[in-house]
Amino acid sequence: MIPAKGPYEDELLSSALTRCCRAFRLPFKRLASVVLQRPGARDGFLTIPPLDAMQALFAQPAERLLWEHTAFPYATSVASQAVFESALQGALGRGGGLGALLGVMHNAFEGQTNRLFCRDCVKSELSLYGESFWHCSHNLPGVTACRLHRCRLTTTAWPSIRFHTTIYAMPHDFKGRYRMSSAPSKAEVLLAERSRDLQCREWGPGRPQTAAEYRDFAVNNGWLSAGRDVSGAALLEVVRSTFAPHALRRWGLFAKDWPAPAFRLGNPFSLSPFRHLLLQVALSTSKPERPGVLDHIPAGYQGTAARKLDAFYAPRVHAEVLRALKAGERLTTREFLCRIGAYAVYRHRKDELPALRAAVREFRSSAASVKPLAVNKSLFRKLAAA
């Protein structure tokens, strides 16, 4: 086995393979067939190469290469114990699990198109090592900023997925024009930091944030009223106001109502790690314009506002009490309320109408009531006050 130089910290395993090909002037096909004994192997930028061969080439345990130099930790950060174990077996080539591995690794490809790098990182690497490399943390879904230098990443013309020829280029080979752009937003930097946190998590299955946790956070921070359903359109608007529209369109997340399932209790489906992070960053870096801005308002007629009903009916109750007393009438509460058209409103919405309830108490305490209330008695037996 050739004395290949091991991967650098945060380097993708595919990047280390490319450096090996460059160092020994070997085409990847020859490296795969002769050195790795894996004829027909493909050098995918974000995919996981045969780890048993990588273990021999770089003299490092396969588990370490998988966890520190592929996007497997990020991709499985919302996977259950069973899915994680199955995907792990597939990655290590220990039996089945290939289907589970392919399924979870789609989480690492979401929204990906081209390779990215940080110019400041490249300068530092050329100074320290005489070469640069492709960072895993720079090429996670949606990441556009370097968490260390807090600058925007440079997007290259080299694809990160779906290519059929081996690309031997490294970041310092990029000769394209650097775009002068503003510093990344707070949300972009936070997304990069939290993506890196998922990538550097401890070994094992991940744990997605639950709907109960999302709701508690939203209620505690004024986004949602307690006990209310969330508005998918309002939630999506919060994400739109946090991230650039052109980026959301590129990721296919601008118009779809994708965030709302995160708030649905009992929902058996989980968002991808990328979508969880977009939602969490949006709610963490923004402030609600008003309390309960995410409250769902059912479509259709909502009825007259309680304060308007209260202001309309309460004076009429008082006037009708005086008229009934003057006429010497004695009425039931239902008969009395029907006279002024307030029976249905009082029956169904009395808890929202304090002035109307007080006026009804006035009637029940008068001689116009068939059963006048005794002193200090309530309208309702089970309630302390009207």
Side-chain angles (χ1 to χ4, degrees):
M1 189 65 71
I2 62 176
K5 189 174 183 179
Y8 295 108
E9 181 180 356
D10 191 38
E11 183 179 16
L12 282 165
L13 195 51
S14 60
S15 173
L17 279 172
T18 299
R19 288 192 298 101
C20 183
C21 290
R22 290 165 61 115
F24 292 97
R25 299 173 183 261
L26 283 173
F28 178 78
K29 286 185 178 180
R30 184 166 181 80
L31 177 74
S33 60
V34 177
V35 179
L36 303 180
Q37 300 296 306
R38 291 292 186 278
R42 303 288 294 275
D43 183 23
F45 184 65
L46 296 172
T47 56
I48 300 175
L51 290 174
D52 54 347
M54 300 301 99
Q55 181 175 251
L57 178 65
F58 295 115
Q60 293 186 23
E63 291 82 358
R64 179 180 176 183
L65 293 173
L66 174 68
W67 202 254
E68 297 182 7
H69 300 290
T70 75
F72 186 79
Y74 178 97
T76 57
S77 60
V78 298
S80 65
Q81 178 78 37
V83 172
F84 173 80
E85 293 293 344
S86 181
L88 179 62
Q89 296 305 310
L92 297 175
R94 297 172 183 173
L98 181 59
L101 176 63
L102 294 176
V104 297
M105 286 307 293
H106 277 293
N107 291 333
F109 307 152
E110 186 172 10
Q112 295 290 76
T113 54
N114 295 66
R115 306 181 188 192
L116 295 91
F117 69 90
C118 169
R119 287 171 284 172
D120 290 338
C121 286
V122 168
K123 291 177 184 178
S124 176
E125 290 153 13
L126 290 176
S127 176
L128 290 172
Y129 313 122
E131 59 184 349
S132 64
F133 56 89
W134 297 106
H135 286 251
C136 184
S137 63
H138 292 164
N139 290 278
L140 294 173
V143 174
T144 57
C146 176
R147 65 183 183 87
L148 293 178
H149 298 104
R150 295 182 176 269
C151 62
R152 290 192 185 277
L153 298 177
T154 296
T155 302
T156 71
W158 301 309
S160 56
I161 57 173
R162 299 189 182 93
F163 58 92
H164 302 287
T165 58
T166 301
I167 298 174
Y168 297 99
M170 303 304 284
H172 62 271
D173 296 323
F174 182 66
K175 304 302 181 184
R177 180 177 299 177
Y178 294 120
R179 294 182 179 178
M180 300 300 293
S181 61
S182 60
S185 67
K186 179 182 177 181
E188 290 175 302
V189 173
L190 184 57
L191 178 63
E193 291 174 345
R194 293 197 176 185
S195 298
R196 176 61 174 166
D197 289 342
L198 290 186
Q199 175 63 19
C200 294
R201 66 187 182 85
E202 294 183 1
W203 179 280
R207 188 190 69 83
Q209 189 165 345
T210 65
E213 290 171 325
Y214 271 116
R215 292 184 64 86
D216 288 345
F217 178 87
V219 170
N220 293 337
N221 289 274
W223 287 105
L224 186 68
S225 300
R228 294 293 298 272
D229 290 332
V230 71
S231 166
L235 193 58
L236 180 58
E237 189 57 36
V238 173
V239 178
R240 285 177 174 178
S241 65
T242 304
F243 296 96
H246 67 85
L248 291 171
R249 288 191 179 95
R250 186 173 70 249
W251 302 328
L253 300 176
F254 183 79
K256 295 179 180 178
D257 184 15
W258 57 267
F263 280 77
R264 292 174 187 160
L265 298 171
N267 181 29
F269 303 104
S270 176
L271 300 181
S272 65
F274 177 42
R275 299 186 185 201
H276 272 297
L277 290 180
L278 285 178
L279 182 53
Q280 292 166 15
V281 169
L283 293 174
S284 298
T285 57
S286 305
K287 297 290 184 181
E289 296 178 357
R290 64 181 188 281
V293 68
L294 295 183
D295 291 356
H296 171 65
I297 301 175
Y301 178 65
Q302 301 301 308
T304 306
R307 61 181 181 82
K308 292 184 178 180
L309 291 174
D310 222 14
F312 180 82
Y313 285 111
R316 283 162 176 75
V317 171
H318 179 70
E320 188 61 26
V321 168
L322 296 178
R323 197 200 65 77
L325 287 172
K326 185 176 180 179
E329 295 179 302
R330 299 189 68 191
L331 306 167
T332 66
T333 303
R334 178 170 184 166
E335 290 172 335
F336 176 79
L337 289 173
C338 284
R339 282 193 174 186
I340 61 172
Y343 176 70
V345 171
Y346 183 77
R347 181 183 178 188
H348 296 292
R349 301 182 65 177
K350 56 181 173 290
D351 292 337
E352 305 173 45
L353 309 169
L356 179 57
R357 292 188 67 175
V360 171
R361 181 182 178 86
E362 176 189 350
F363 160 73
R364 287 295 309 276
S365 302
S366 72
S369 174
V370 170
K371 295 180 180 180
L373 286 176
V375 178
N376 296 326
K377 291 296 182 178
S378 169
L379 278 174
F380 306 100
R381 295 175 182 175
K382 295 183 180 180
L383 298 177

